[in-house]
Amino acid sequence: MPRRTVDLRNPENPVYFETRDRVTEIYFNRPDRLNPFDWELSRQFSDLIDQVKKEPSDVVIVTGKGRAFSAGADLAFLEKCTRQPEAKVRTMLRKLYANFLRVRELKQVTIAKVNGAVAGGGLGLVWACDLRTALTSAKFAFNFVKIGLSPGMGILYMTTKLMGEAKARELWLRGRTLTAEQVAKWGPIAELAATSEELDKVTRALADEILGNGKLGMQFIKQELLWKDQVDAYLDFNCKHQAKCLKSAEGKEGLRAIQEKRAPLFRV
């Protein structure tokens, strides 16, 4: 059956974009559910990237509607993974992550505008953008191990590149959740803002600064920063481990704990 055509400029869609004055803005648009990621959204996002590549823009801003950038993978999608054969889970995760990480293909400079909580794959997408702005109070959740899982979407690899191995080990092994103000101390956030209105202003100011730069030079900088990048190869390794976690007793207990709004009980 052919896929249904989706209007990715429609502001009623779960993800959509608009372009004005050489700036394209991409919005995740399920604010009532904290903008979760699932299989269908990943396919739409991949299609959206194909369209944005053709837009008359030099900056792309990615953000979420409501009080979250994205809470990460949809719980129903993760539960489905626990019931599938491990090899199939590995394949599904590999494709889902590759769809979102296509943001790295854009010739435009990309800015993740972190308007609120970000976790899971949402954090992977934030790391995959060129630059980041954030509300000082926005929560960055490095908490996969708290729910019995290992990080997905190449997040550990990108955290290490952005913040250094020592900090990556500390954040992910402790499973900490920090504010953007705390995260900014280690360098990955370009601008902070105390309010949503101020975040809009500082993000637009950053975009305007970039618009004054030479396009060809910036495109070459993006290409050179990806030289010898290992995210694509790493994803195979990454998805193998995450599939095993999702099929494990710990992973299943972690997902049950989220549903039941309690701390998970991981037994020795």
Side-chain angles (χ1 to χ4, degrees), residues 163-208:
M163 301 169 70
E165 184 175 333
K167 184 51 60 177
R169 285 179 183 273
E170 179 187 349
L171 290 172
W172 290 110
L173 291 174
R174 294 177 71 176
R176 303 183 70 190
T177 296
L178 304 176
T179 65
E181 188 171 26
Q182 292 171 304
V183 174
K185 294 176 182 177
W186 298 297
I189 299 175
E191 299 286 349
L192 290 170
T195 67
S196 296
E197 293 76 15
E198 186 184 345
L199 180 62
D200 291 340
K201 289 178 182 178
V202 300
T203 306
R204 181 66 211 203
L206 179 58
D208 287 341

Side-chain angles (χ1 to χ4, degrees), residues 3-93:
R3 289 175 56 190
R4 179 173 63 90
T5 301
V6 175
D7 180 5
L8 294 167
R9 295 181 188 269
N10 182 355
E12 299 299 317
N13 204 55
V15 62
Y16 72 95
F17 75 95
E18 57 188 18
T19 300
R20 293 192 304 271
D21 303 324
R22 295 172 58 203
V23 176
T24 296
E25 295 197 58
I26 298 172
Y27 299 95
F28 293 111
N29 189 33
R30 288 189 282 190
D32 55 320
R33 298 176 55 203
L34 305 182
N35 300 318
F37 287 176
D38 58 26
W39 175 248
E40 179 55 29
L41 187 76
S42 83
R43 300 203 325 179
Q44 289 190 24
F45 188 81
S46 180
D47 292 342
L48 182 149
I49 292 297
D50 286 331
Q51 293 187 32
V52 170
K53 284 181 176 181
K54 303 171 187 176
E55 287 296 289
S57 58
D58 296 306
V59 174
V60 173
I61 298 170
V62 186
T63 193
K65 290 285 189 176
R67 59 190 179 90
F69 181 93
S70 172
D74 180 72
L75 186 59
F77 170 77
L78 292 178
E79 287 182 330
K80 181 179 178 181
C81 288
T82 68
R83 300 191 296 271
Q84 300 289 334
E86 187 176 312
K88 184 174 182 179
V89 175
R90 197 160 61 237
T91 300
M92 289 171 61
L93 292 173

Side-chain angles (χ1 to χ4, degrees), residues 81 85-98 101 150-155 231-247:
C81 288
E86 187 176 312
K88 184 174 182 179
V89 175
R90 197 160 61 237
T91 300
M92 289 171 61
L93 292 173
R94 181 68 172 83
K95 182 59 177 175
L96 181 138
Y97 294 155
L101 289 176
S150 59
M153 207 189 284
I155 306 173
V231 166
D232 287 341
Y234 173 84
L235 282 179
D236 292 328
F237 188 62
N238 189 194
C239 292
K240 175 182 177 180
H241 290 166
Q242 198 171 49
K244 287 184 178 297
C245 284
L246 282 164
K247 295 293 291 181

